[in-house]
Amino acid sequence: MASISSVPEAVARVAYQASDVLIPIQPALSTDTDFSTHWKSAAAKKTASLIAKGTPEILPVRHNVDPFLSAYQPLRAGKLVAVAAPSSILVASVPHLYKLAQYPIVIHVTLEPREYSDYSDYSEITAIRQCGFTFLQSETLQEAQDIALSAHALAIKSGKGVIHFFDIGNSSYDYPIKLESREVIRGLIDVDAARAYQSTSIDSKGIYADDGRQATVTESGLSLHNGRSQVDLPSPTDRSQSKATSRDASSVGSPIRENSVGSTPTVSSASSVSEVIRRAVSSEDIFDFITEIWANFSTATGRSYQAFDYTGPENANSALFIFGSTGVFVDEIEKARVGTEYAGIGLITARLYRPWLGQKFGETLPPTVKRIAVLEQIRRKTTKWGPVLLDILMSLKTGQQVGDTPTIVGHQLRYIEPATVRQALRGIFQNLRSPSPIQNLEIGSSRGPQKPLTGYTLEQPKVESAYMKILDQVFGERLYVANRLDAPHAGVSATVASSPEYGFGSLLARSEHREKFIGEVAEAAKTQDFTTETPQSWLSKWTLNAKDTKRANSLALEVIARLSTDGSPLASKLLSLKSLFFKESYWLIGSDAWSYDLGNSGVHHVLASGANVNMLIIDSQPYSERTIADATRRKKDIGLYAMNYGNAYVASVAVYSSYTQVLEAMIEADQFDGPSVIVAYLPYNKEDESPLTVLQETKKAVDLGYWPLYRWNPDNEDGGLPNFQLDSERIKKELEEFLKRDNHLSQLMRRHPEFSANLSESYGSEIRTLQKRAAKNAYDTLLEGLYGAPMTILFASDNGNAESLAKRLGNRGKARGLKTVVMAMDDYPLEDLSGEENVVLMSSTAGQGEFPQNGRTFWDGIKEAGDIDLSNIKFAVFALGDSHYWPRKEDKIYYNKPGKDLDARIAVLGGKRLTDCGLGDDQDPDSYQTGYQDWEPKLWQALGVDKVEGLPEEPPPITNEDIKIQSNFLRGTIAEGLKDTSTGAIAASDQQLTKFHGTYMQDDRDLRDERKAQGLEPAYSFMIRCRLNGGVATPSQWLQMDEIASSLGNQTMKLTTRQTFQFHGVVKGKLKPAMRAINKALMTTIAACGDVNRNVMVSTLPMKSAYHRDVHQVSAKISDHLLPSTTAYHEIWLKDEDDNKTQIAGNALADQEPLYGPTYLPRKFKITIAIPPHNDTDVYAHDVGLIAIQNSEGRLEGFNVLVGGGMGVTHNNKKTYPRTGSMFGYAPADKIHVVCEKIMLVQRDHGDRKNRKHARLKYTIDDMGVEVYKGKVEELLGFEFASPKPFAFKSNIDTFGWQKDEFSLNHFTFFIENGRIEDTADFPMKTGLREIAKTDKGEFRLTGNQHLCLSNVHNSDLEQIKSLMKQYKLDNVQFSGLRLSSSACVAFPTCGLAMAESERYLPELITKLESCLEENGLSQDSIVMRMTGCPNGCARPWLAEVAFVGKAYSTYNMYLGGGYHGQRLNKLYRASIQEEEILGIMKPLLKRYALERHDGEHFGDFVIRIGMIKPTTEGKTFHDDVAEEESDGE
């Protein structure tokens, strides 16, 4: 039978049943308490609650962020709240407790030890005893369960707050107890009263003014005579009314009033039986309520409780009252033998500590008791007499004759060793029976066992280390953090030492110490006490510049050097304090706890002082709608608060948004002479949050203006510069509009503060509503003059299919005489739906049966709405999906789930079907069109328009081929679109054309939902890809690329798998300047994308520079030979404003495409060159793969030619597949550019231009046959391929570290994880590479695996380069073999095709596998692992030994068995798996590989040999014999 063995579990289970909202107060969000662990477990199991509708809401709160603020909103919204709190936070929360006491909240308090002690402190309980709460105490495990239930029952019955406190250690040896009885809970808790409270809500102006809430009771004369009253349902009570009707409105917590005898309520004699009186809940009411609850409880369980519990003989002469841990005494007293000093005594404890009812205490005490020993476990004594002792004195003195009053002796209870309990009891009663007993006698050890606290020790959250690392990087040894957690502070607790007040005081003392030292140095400079005269002049120089950071620190080294050689006593004395010669950078580090009232005073002290102190305040509040809406959780805006002082430097930064801006702010803060405040954003829900989550939250907050990046420097005014600088690039323009609106709203909020939270929250949603309404009204206006029945078509579409189908249906409806409206579901005002006549809904399927982005809000509204009447509408639904996308039987529910759910829900709401739900399946012969062609005629028939004659012929859909041929050689309307400032986007057709120019339009998918919610268009930007022959760039070009990324992009560069630079985050207004800057660096972007030949790749080959140069020259010749000839690129991007001169070497002549023609190629065309034994460019994966063959002299002779490789695939479409190139033969180097041309021309003339999924050369060669295709190429060439030359590949990964070539030149290959060049707090990579480029040494070679090789470094330059590499951590290549062999595409957030994370997730996955690699001795073994966010294959996953290809968010297909040399395709092993299953497969497999592999056997070969996967022999068999067959079963 299940049982409970701990107090937290017993209490947590009861609170779960009796609450709507549960608030565990935790040391950190990532560190669950015993309470939150049980609550989360129950919620995860969807355990039903008696009180909550469903499962209670759990709101974890950090202990140092004013945690009781979180209780106000749910309480005022009519929710019953339970809090699990440590006793250490109670005193600081007193201002809140006084207000919360008037609400039915239950606070379960765990009594904590003081630091470095093992026994609990009851001081916090006595310190807050007057706050108006009812206090209940439990001592054993069973009592904890019972009293927890009593507390919740009492809170609901009385309408007042209850604090239930307990010492967990007191019951650590108790036997397990039974689970709580739901029937008993239901019997004790007044569910009707709870429901009544839940139906109310209280308007409040905030937390600082009393909201007037007071728990009251209503009673009639008859009720009073019967001695009963009824709790009035909670509602605000006006104070004036309360005074007139309440006998004792503040009696709870007042010992003097509560100890009066016979204080029963008085009713006017004029009151009639029917008169209803409303008054505040009194102490006697509380006693009556709890007595009734305990009586019912006794009947139900047989366990009885009283306000005061007395155990012992009825004729006891002495009694022991314990306010503390009773466990150590109970057993000893019970087994006491006759004759011992404490035999036959009574033991008293307070079960109901507040209100303290003196009369009840006296009634509990046997009349024979003449002496009472009072033990108080309270170590913070602020008065001579303990609070409990005073309570007992007042109780007995008031209720008895003076002569009858027992002798009362107070004792201070400390730690009692179990072995000394008997001795302690003997001492207590010897003192009690003494003629002159000693008051306040200490019992036990004052310290107890020395062991540190484990629950609430302060430590810096892992994610916050980013800012500390930047401080260390910037200031090095100059950095002094006064309140650093790991610093020693003699005699001061870590909690105090980390506070701003303590830190500020510490800095003032340190500053004064240095000022004194400066004076001593000045005096020393005037003396003749040095051995030589040299120190005096240097000391004088230093004294004059001691407050100038730069000069003082540069002079300090010289001064110290001179003093070190002087040898005089004075020199030695000054050297003993040599650290003070340096001017330190003083910092205080704080969290957002400093933004709340309870933590803000230290910030105020620093600002008011004007002292030169820097504060870094890290705000971890994630951007969320709920937080914004909760006005009571709003913090002070420290930035604005500081700017109002006018004397402080202020900056708002976010390291995951702009690393550069963080650096600038810290440097400027240090240089500013006065207080500086940097508020730093680092949002997380848990302290061990993944960097990816922090990044996504940061982007939302910064992009939408929730966390604007800015710097405020009062010193700028002296230089004629603006004080305020906004650094949030995207919101600069939006902020102008915001400030205008904010000025108006600020005035409104000041007049009506109760509206502030609603106003700030609702602006975005209001705009969205207005947009929907305007769009709908515009359609209605257009349709007013038309005839025919109306038909509203709503679509939800991710990839455009549902949208295109909806628009086509709308056009066909118009042709049949219907008035049609076509809109995205989320653009439609849901409240209008019930007024429609005919509604057609079309939805594709996203993720795991989810609605597409532009239909989610609509579905949420339909799903949750219970009051929408759709009985007047007729509807039809068509769903688009893939029946094989989720292969497992249990996942078949995801097939077309959005459409099916929509059809069922609208029917439930009363809608009448026009026809059954149509199902489009990508697995059908014509994809979704098969199902659609059957469904559409039924719709027309149901609408009565199926027999319309004379329908116009529909124009064919516009294809990419149409766009190209109508583009005027790639011009389109690109130039016009760039000038349109009303949007960040360009036209859809131009989006296809700009690819030929080397740029894609994208939007930030991390921000889509939030921007949409705010009524904003997506965060559009552009990706730019350079065309870089063979991946080789000069140092000058590197610097120019770095500057483009910093000033025009998102401050990062991507080294791609196609061996070139890629920039992200380029907004439309900066697109043209970026293109010009690239061309100014003598690079280009033309044909980096699009249906043309793209960047030609070459192996980096650092060991043979002459051979590499030969091959690189050929690659350049091929690239130049196959360039498009259109002048559109020059015309759009490079011409000066006067349109006369182009900014590039040479001018294009006329618009003609001798190679490509006006429609260019059917699809992209890729060429790569590999130099054996290195296949680091994946030569088998491209349309043309050239394998370099060297002659006997080690120079280039010619190439073996592979044709027909390609990587793109569509999930579950077996007509698509990856393919490795087929060997055509050998061709000499001087003719290879012509060979490539002819291969491309055959593809141009024979490739599929109707179906882009079938348009790549790999399908053309399979359709024609390899020999036929080869024959056509040879026919164009006029000669035949020779037999291929022998070659051998050994790997397709890079060789990291230093290597020398035949000329003794040095080459170093850097590990650039997934090709991302950026600066982070841990690794300033971008800065380091920039500093290396500034030396103008060697050249930069980008690798096909996304890494970087610094080449051709002379021996004379080696020391300088190595020094820079070490300084910026660039010399580290000590990573696991798996990590070094990994590669990932960009995927989220910018790639529009991504279905899952890739670049941002693969490093995390590898980290989770590395411990397994280490355990099995595989840390240095190379295993090629690749990940992509979709099946298009940018990171060439199909050749990896193990690959993960995104299928939905956090979901991947797993492939095994690729060739280590890149020569063999892999095969599907598991479909649609997530991280847990990935790790569950990989870890045992890696262990097996370590144990069972043959010598030299690679991982991909191993999994085939052991039968885990079958080899893929050619592309057409890629889908055959997979390890996990896709099931058709439902």
Side-chain angles (χ1 to χ4, degrees), residues 820-833:
T820 62
V821 173
V822 182
M823 302 178 74
M825 290 183 188
D826 279 2
D827 290 334
Y828 181 84
L830 187 58
E831 64 272 17
D832 286 3
L833 189 60

Side-chain angles (χ1 to χ4, degrees), residues 1340-1379:
F1340 291 87
R1341 297 182 190 175
L1342 283 62
T1343 82
N1345 288 313
Q1346 303 175 297
H1347 304 298
L1348 178 67
C1349 182
L1350 178 64
S1351 295
N1352 300 334
V1353 178
H1354 292 273
N1355 288 330
S1356 59
D1357 300 322
L1358 205 53
E1359 185 176 346
Q1360 180 187 9
I1361 297 298
K1362 285 185 175 180
S1363 176
L1364 287 170
M1365 288 168 56
K1366 183 177 181 180
Q1367 179 182 349
Y1368 292 100
K1369 305 179 184 179
L1370 287 164
D1371 56 352
N1372 182 18
V1373 292
Q1374 299 305 310
F1375 300 96
S1376 68
L1378 178 63
R1379 193 176 294 274

